[in-house]
Amino acid sequence: MDNEEHSEGFGATGGEEQNSSNLAWKSLKRGFGTGGGRNWGALLLGCIDYCPRINMSWNVFQLCAGLKVIGSFMIFVVVSIVGVSYYAVVIANYTPQVLKGGSAATIATALLVLILFHVLLAMLLWSYFAVVFTDPGGVPQGWRPSSSSSEDDLEMQSSPLVDQTVEMMTVAASLEITPQSANVRYCKKCCQFKPPRCHHCSVCGRCILKMDHHCIWVANCVGAHNYKFFLLFLLYTFLETMLVTVALLPPFINFFGDIEEDSAFPNDLATTLLGLVLNLAFALSLLGFLIMHMSLVAGNTTTIETYEKKASTRWRFDLGWKRNFEQVFGMRKLYWFVPLYADDDLRQMTVLQGLDYPLRLDMDGQGL
């Protein structure tokens, strides 16, 4: 099959597109060479050039796009729960206690609850929308491994070429390079190199730096650039739900204890009960989730990496709990509990960019 026939077989309609496909195909054929030898560099370049030009008729991972729609709905759910909690605590119970007067202790308690509620709510919403609107971190355009990495370091699976000819399927099945280093990888879906700790998200359709997971509650991936904000969201949501649960217990007990309150309306009592049940359920579930992620931070690992690494060996990115914590929250203590990074940390801590991570060194100075 000559080059023109091959281009037509893949649907080339213009001269410029034909020339591009022909050049990519020639790179692939040069990689196989003659006499049994193979030029791995030409093979890799041919695959990189050819992958973006292949039109897949259908991809099962496109079903993951439905999670984006669910994520948008979950944002509405979060805002609705906040609204119910706000009405139950502020409007239905504690603001009336301040306005109608009473003992000094009662007014002081109500004011304390209102202040704490609004402070935690502000930090919760700040952290939440920081996670939602902050890009988790993608691989920069044209990113390449360091020059010290050889071509044998590339990890590349079989490229999913279109099943048009037997000859092309042979090429696709043969595009595999044995990796010699775990630090340099190649994504066959994005057709680009992957930095360390980077994974491909089928929902977002791209590689995410230090990907932890795709969270439908924030309609976004949790990665290198917003992981701190996600942890703060968990922390402040847990504290807020615990506060609301404790604050709504007295009205709940009074309601079932047949203690009459002339100012109580049926809708206020129903909202109080609903707010109590919702916040108690979220507080209990968030407690376990928060403990899990704090243990991940202490070990400098992610949810995905816990399923990849060997349990019998110490994680090679584990630098000790203090340095591991600083890689997520930064070195400036004043910024630990706000969804921001200090400018000094962004300039000095290259690890916050998500492209390079220091390794734990053994006695011989070799990274594990």
Side-chain angles (χ1 to χ4, degrees), residues 246-365:
V246 174
L248 293 182
L249 272 177
F252 177 79
I253 294 175
N254 292 341
F255 173 72
F256 284 95
D258 293 330
I259 298 179
E260 295 184 359
E261 293 199 17
D262 298 334
S263 60
F265 294 96
N267 59 330
D268 293 343
L269 295 175
T271 306
T272 298
L273 178 59
L274 178 62
L276 176 63
V277 173
L278 286 176
N279 282 273
L280 178 60
F282 272 93
L284 294 177
S285 60
L286 284 172
L287 178 60
F289 204 48
L290 188 60
I291 292 175
M292 182 195 76
H293 276 281
M294 285 295 100
S295 65
L296 294 179
V297 172
N300 198 1
T301 186
T302 64
T303 303
I304 293 179
E305 290 170 346
T306 55
Y307 295 97
E308 295 180 342
K309 65 182 181 180
K310 296 180 180 179
S312 59
T313 60
R314 186 178 177 184
W315 185 227
R316 58 199 179 103
F317 296 106
D318 187 0
L319 308 179
W321 69 268
K322 183 178 180 181
R323 294 185 62 186
N324 295 341
F325 181 86
E326 291 176 347
Q327 286 191 16
V328 176
F329 288 87
M331 301 182 65
R332 295 288 298 274
K333 297 180 180 179
L334 293 177
Y335 288 81
W336 281 358
F337 296 101
V338 294
L340 291 173
Y341 284 107
D343 293 336
D344 293 341
D345 286 345
L346 293 176
R347 287 194 301 266
Q348 299 174 8
M349 300 182 64
T350 57
V351 67
L352 295 179
Q353 306 302 323
L355 295 173
D356 187 26
Y357 297 91
L359 300 177
R360 182 175 64 87
L361 303 180
D362 61 9
M363 298 300 293
D364 298 328

Side-chain angles (χ1 to χ4, degrees), residues 1-7 9-10 25 29 165 167-168:
M1 177 184 295
D2 57 18
N3 292 337
E4 289 75 16
E5 291 177 349
H6 172 72
S7 299
F10 278 82
W25 176 240
K29 293 197 296 184
T165 63
E167 183 177 5
M168 285 304 298

Side-chain angles (χ1 to χ4, degrees), residues 5 58 73 88 91 101 156 180 182 193 205 223 234 248 292 294 339 351:
E5 291 177 349
W58 185 79
F73 175 75
I91 299 177
M156 203 173 132
Q180 300 295 332
F193 293 102
L234 293 182
L248 293 182
M292 182 195 76
M294 285 295 100
V351 67

